[in-house]
Amino acid sequence: MTDLRELRKAIREAMEYAVPDGYLDKAEDLLDIYHDDKIALDLLHEFYLSLPDAREAWVREIMVLARHHGIFLLSAMVGGREGYLYLVSSEGIEFQGSLADGFLAQELLDFFQFESEEAFRRLCAAPAELHSYEPLQVDEDICPACHALAGEHHELGCPVEVCPWCGGQLIHCDCRFEQLGLDAISNETELLRFEDLLEERGRIPYSREQRPSFADEGTGVILD
Ligand SMILES: [Zn+2]
Ligand SMILES: [Zn+2]
């Protein structure tokens, strides 16, 4: 199901049966947050259609346990510490059991680079420390990090800005030090000097090709 509108409609229909009385509005709030996010919508769709414990429930929040090469390990939170794990990518979705069980196949522990089963269990036992899954911005003409429009310069320091000297990520390459002849940028004057050098060289404005697209990173594991 790739049409997001169809997907949202199917989720809404399933919610009618799944969400306990009086909570439908709240359940729909989450649907609004992830209105255009295929990953989150796939998760909600799977949750509401298959209801892991075959009882009424609603998803309050979606938390991220791990993310690697465009594959997310997410938890659909249905209560304070109660959640269900899903492996989700643009390729598909796979249910992974309850958060409380704190279990993940060794292959996946390795893939997400968890130190040990124990480290994963500890993470599952402290859901309050997990981060909420951020909806992906779908407007490709806006830089997802600094919100520059296509054709505009990024804000200096934006991680999406491409370096005009080496073509790498401007905040990560060493060109700023090489250009300034310094080991580090330690004050405002040096930063302004770098900005001048950057303008002189010609900054590369935002364009949609620069979007960090997790879908293009290639899949590291095959989902059944
Ligand atoms: Zn930017
Ligand atoms: Zn560079």
Side-chain angles (χ1 to χ4, degrees):
M1 205 176 297
T2 50
D3 186 323
L4 296 185
R5 198 165 359 141
E6 289 287 312
L7 194 52
R8 288 193 298 266
K9 187 162 165 262
I11 294 168
R12 245 183 228 108
E13 282 168 8
M15 275 178 168
E16 302 272 341
Y17 300 97
V19 178
D21 284 346
Y23 291 101
L24 196 57
D25 283 354
K26 289 193 169 181
E28 285 191 348
D29 283 348
L30 200 71
L31 193 55
D32 286 341
I33 293 175
Y34 297 114
H35 193 262
D36 295 306
D37 187 304
K38 175 92 167 47
I39 295 278
L41 292 180
D42 277 345
L43 182 154
L44 293 172
H45 184 252
E46 182 72 15
F47 177 88
Y48 285 114
L49 258 78
S50 60
L51 281 179
D53 278 336
R55 60 175 168 99
E56 289 191 332
W58 62 285
V59 181
R60 290 155 210 238
E61 216 177 347
I62 299 174
M63 310 303 269
V64 184
L65 281 94
R67 166 190 186 159
H68 188 56
H69 286 313
I71 299 179
F72 294 80
L73 183 64
L74 302 174
S75 177
M77 304 305 295
V78 298
R81 301 168 61 89
E82 222 186 324
Y84 296 99
L85 301 175
Y86 293 87
L87 189 64
V88 201
S89 77
S90 54
E91 311 288 312
I93 181 160
E94 206 176 68
F95 179 59
Q96 298 291 325
S98 84
L99 185 68
D101 290 344
F103 175 80
L104 200 63
Q106 189 61 47
E107 180 195 36
L108 290 172
L109 289 173
D110 292 343
F111 175 72
F112 288 116
Q113 295 164 349
F114 284 107
E115 271 170 37
S116 59
E117 276 179 54
E118 182 49 35
F120 181 69
R121 251 197 310 276
R122 273 201 305 272
L123 185 69
C124 292
E129 284 164 35
L130 299 174
H131 291 288
S132 186
Y133 173 72
E134 297 284 337
L136 291 176
Q137 285 171 351
V138 284
D139 189 344
E140 297 197 343
D141 288 324
I142 297 177
C143 171
C146 76
H147 305 123
L149 297 177
E152 287 181 350
H153 286 164
H154 295 271
E155 265 179 50
L156 197 61
C158 173
V160 180
E161 180 156 5
V162 175
C163 172
W165 286 283
C166 74
Q169 221 179 334
L170 186 60
I171 59 160
H172 286 312
C173 65
D174 287 330
C175 296
R176 58 192 181 283
F177 306 126
E178 283 163 23
Q179 292 302 318
L180 287 166
L182 297 170
D183 289 333
I185 294 181
S186 51
N187 60 47
E188 187 76 5
T189 319
E190 288 164 4
L191 187 66
L192 288 173
R193 196 149 67 82
F194 176 63
E195 210 173 345
D196 287 344
L197 289 168
L198 196 57
E199 298 286 347
E200 231 168 81
R201 172 78 185 188
R203 287 178 75 176
I204 299 175
Y206 172 68
S207 70
R208 53 169 66 194
E209 296 73 50
Q210 293 165 8
R211 286 180 76 78
S213 167
F214 68 84
D216 292 337
E217 282 171 25
T219 46
V221 296
I222 307 296
L223 298 171
D224 296 329

